[in-house]
Amino acid sequence: MTLLVVGSTAFDTIETPHGKAERCLGGSSTYFGLAARLFTPVRLVSVIGEDFPDEHRQLLAARDVCLDGLEVKAGKTFAWHGRYSSDMNDRETIDVQLNTFGDFEPKVPEHYRETPFVFLANGAPATQMSVVEQMKGPRFVVADTMDLWMDIAKDGLLELLQRIDGLILNDSEVKQLTGESNLITAGKATLALGPKLVIVKKGEHGCFVFSEDFRYALPAYPTEDVVDPTGAGDSFAGGFMGYLAHCGELSRANMQRAVAYGTVTASLNVEGFGVDKLADTTRATVDARYAELMQFVTGG
Amino acid sequence: MTLLVVGSTAFDTIETPHGKAERCLGGSSTYFGLAARLFTPVRLVSVIGEDFPDEHRQLLAARDVCLDGLEVKAGKTFAWHGRYSSDMNDRETIDVQLNTFGDFEPKVPEHYRETPFVFLANGAPATQMSVVEQMKGPRFVVADTMDLWMDIAKDGLLELLQRIDGLILNDSEVKQLTGESNLITAGKATLALGPKLVIVKKGEHGCFVFSEDFRYALPAYPTEDVVDPTGAGDSFAGGFMGYLAHCGELSRANMQRAVAYGTVTASLNVEGFGVDKLADTTRATVDARYAELMQFVTGG
């Protein structure tokens, strides 16, 4: 089945202990799309400026990412510049130019509106809600969020949680959202806010999955080769949603396999600068690493 | 098979957000022993002062912990007083009185020296080595250690690592020991220092296991009810070594099950003050929780 993502497209300038990449292709929809397309065709809704080069479009289009929903507006493309600490556990934002993304009002093209699987990348809850309202009977809608929206748009976020099926957030965010310091209690409390599925990302420590029917823990793939953590969360979400949309059926087993596929696409992504490694990855590479991850989990 | 533990016996005064316990039974050998005895008889080598009450002896002896190696010396028993932060991720030592434990020179009783399974609780590497030298052809010797010994007795620790089979330490310690910031690289580098098995504890994030033949990741049991984290590491080691000694065979499958049993005994331990919950636990309770943990890992 097809999959829609709504999020940012950006120029990223990234500094890590391993080097620097200037104005490379970035943004949540891009990382998500390049991970998800390994499993299923992706429809992208985002906004860029007139400075967005054709080669970036071609890179995405050649990889099953449909750009009919990529709006071009007068002005420049969103630009971000970040620098990671020596152990890459922290990052500092050097510069942000929201440009055309500053007043992003996602317009879902008419022929996208019946897409069954939908991912709302991190953004203002009101913006995410506007997408929900444009969709016609979606089967499975998942949102990402962040601490900022809990600070400045909590009501909107709580309203959104009543309208979506799944939420992906990190461990500190789930604690902030619920006011619970124990991760398990916080995960269960988030389920009570509406979503049927909650995925709590713990970075190098993997993730916890909460649903009404099951709980599931998965470690991160043990990569020794982290080059650039940018996009780890979105490439996780891309692998997760891509695999689920590919399956179509929302069974427990598919959900669990999807979490493992998300873990794999995130681990591949952080081994290259920007989207480089994701763009070059094949489904065969993903499957080989999935098998390795399962070995790590079962000790086989 | 039988199992020997060499470590401290103490009076602990513990403050957590859930309350305070004064001068309760504590020490690494105690937590270890009360976890391990759920699987196999335990022989304890430790030291106490003349103030150690008979009820504590009885509590241990009634639970398959043999006290022939518990030396009584003139003076007082080791006493520790600690206070946990509100989220219980940090603790402050309010007071330490080493007393008779200050110059602990473990004497392994003659009839203990052929014990096949041996656990060296955290202590000076030279003290741990003196135990190795007293044993006669042990089958499987595992040590715990800490950052302090890396700072002040690194050579002794490196020498010990050549003489033991397994090492248990936490994530920051394995990074310090090897100088590697990536946990996987650090785990592999530790194997190169001598031990055939390295278990890296990550607290609420579970543990990684490294051996020449396999790597294994296990999440912590998702307890919502952490009352007192004291002794989590030693009760983990106790469940791990206890189950392995019970099995006798050092197969990969047994090692992996042993790690899960250690995870279970540690999770039970932190749900009560001091050793209270461990002392009251039965093998049936442990097995039920083991099954739950396996469900969490497999998503069943």
Side-chain angles (χ1 to χ4, degrees), chain B residues 248-272:
Chain B
E249 275 309 307
L250 295 165
S251 69
R252 178 194 295 200
N254 285 345
M255 298 245 194
Q256 289 167 5
R257 278 192 286 264
V259 169
Y261 273 110
T263 297
V264 165
T265 48
S267 76
L268 287 164
N269 176 56
V270 300
E271 292 179 2

Side-chain angles (χ1 to χ4, degrees), chain A residues 238-299:
Chain A
F240 171 74
M241 290 294 284
Y243 180 77
L244 265 190
H246 162 76
C247 294
E249 275 308 308
L250 295 165
S251 69
R252 177 193 297 199
N254 285 345
M255 298 244 194
Q256 288 167 5
R257 278 192 287 263
V259 170
Y261 273 110
T263 298
V264 165
T265 48
S267 76
L268 287 164
N269 175 56
V270 301
E271 292 179 0
F273 259 104
V275 299
D276 286 358
K277 185 135 181 185
L278 268 191
D280 283 345
T281 296
T282 63
R283 176 67 192 262
T285 303
V286 168
D287 283 336
R289 185 166 286 198
Y290 177 91
E292 257 191 280
L293 176 63
M294 289 299 108
Q295 261 200 334
F296 186 48
V297 171
T298 61

Side-chain angles (χ1 to χ4, degrees), chain A residues 53-226:
Chain A
D54 201 47
E55 63 179 279
H56 287 347
R57 282 183 169 277
Q58 282 168 12
L59 184 146
L60 293 162
R63 287 169 182 76
D64 252 350
V65 179
C66 175
L67 303 179
D68 293 355
L70 184 60
E71 183 188 0
V72 185
K73 277 176 74 170
K76 292 182 173 176
T77 301
F78 176 25
W80 175 80
H81 180 177
R83 186 184 294 143
Y84 288 87
S85 63
S86 57
D87 66 357
M88 288 191 279
N89 283 329
D90 293 300
R91 80 175 178 200
E92 182 190 353
T93 295
I94 308 290
D95 190 40
V96 184
Q97 303 288 337
L98 285 175
N99 298 327
T100 51
F101 189 68
D103 52 0
F104 180 40
E105 288 177 8
K107 293 170 204 67
V108 181
E110 196 54 42
H111 61 292
Y112 276 8
R113 296 197 175 187
E114 292 184 5
T115 310
F117 287 79
V118 180
F119 182 68
L120 309 169
N122 179 33
T127 309
Q128 294 176 313
M129 184 69 100
S130 80
V131 175
V132 173
E133 284 170 350
Q134 292 174 67
M135 301 307 296
K136 294 177 183 162
R139 185 109 170 261
F140 195 63
V141 180
V142 173
D144 185 12
T145 192
M146 71 185 294
D147 49 2
L148 173 68
W149 312 118
M150 300 171 197
D151 290 335
I152 68 170
K154 181 88 178 261
D155 288 349
L157 179 59
L158 292 176
E159 213 177 304
L160 180 76
L161 293 182
Q162 301 281 342
R163 298 284 298 275
I164 61 175
D165 303 289
L167 182 68
I168 300 184
L169 72 184
N170 73 31
D171 44 0
S172 65
E173 290 160 356
V174 76
K175 290 176 181 176
Q176 180 177 345
L177 178 64
T178 59
E180 296 287 352
S181 65
N182 178 288
L183 213 52
I184 307 295
T185 313
K188 293 201 305 192
T190 307
L191 284 179
L193 297 175
K196 293 191 285 283
L197 188 78
V198 175
I199 300 182
V200 178
K201 296 174 294 181
K202 306 190 296 167
E204 61 170 326
H205 300 300
C207 64
F208 280 170
V209 184
F210 300 87
S211 89
E212 276 172 28
D213 308 323
F214 67 92
R215 291 188 216 165
Y216 182 49
L218 194 74
Y221 174 85
T223 180
E224 293 179 67
D225 191 25
V226 180

Side-chain angles (χ1 to χ4, degrees), chain B residues 76-96:
Chain B
K76 291 181 174 179
T77 301
F78 176 25
W80 175 80
H81 180 178
R83 185 184 295 145
Y84 288 86
S85 63
S86 57
D87 66 357
M88 288 191 278
N89 283 329
D90 293 298
R91 80 175 178 200
E92 181 191 355
T93 294
I94 309 288
D95 190 41
V96 185

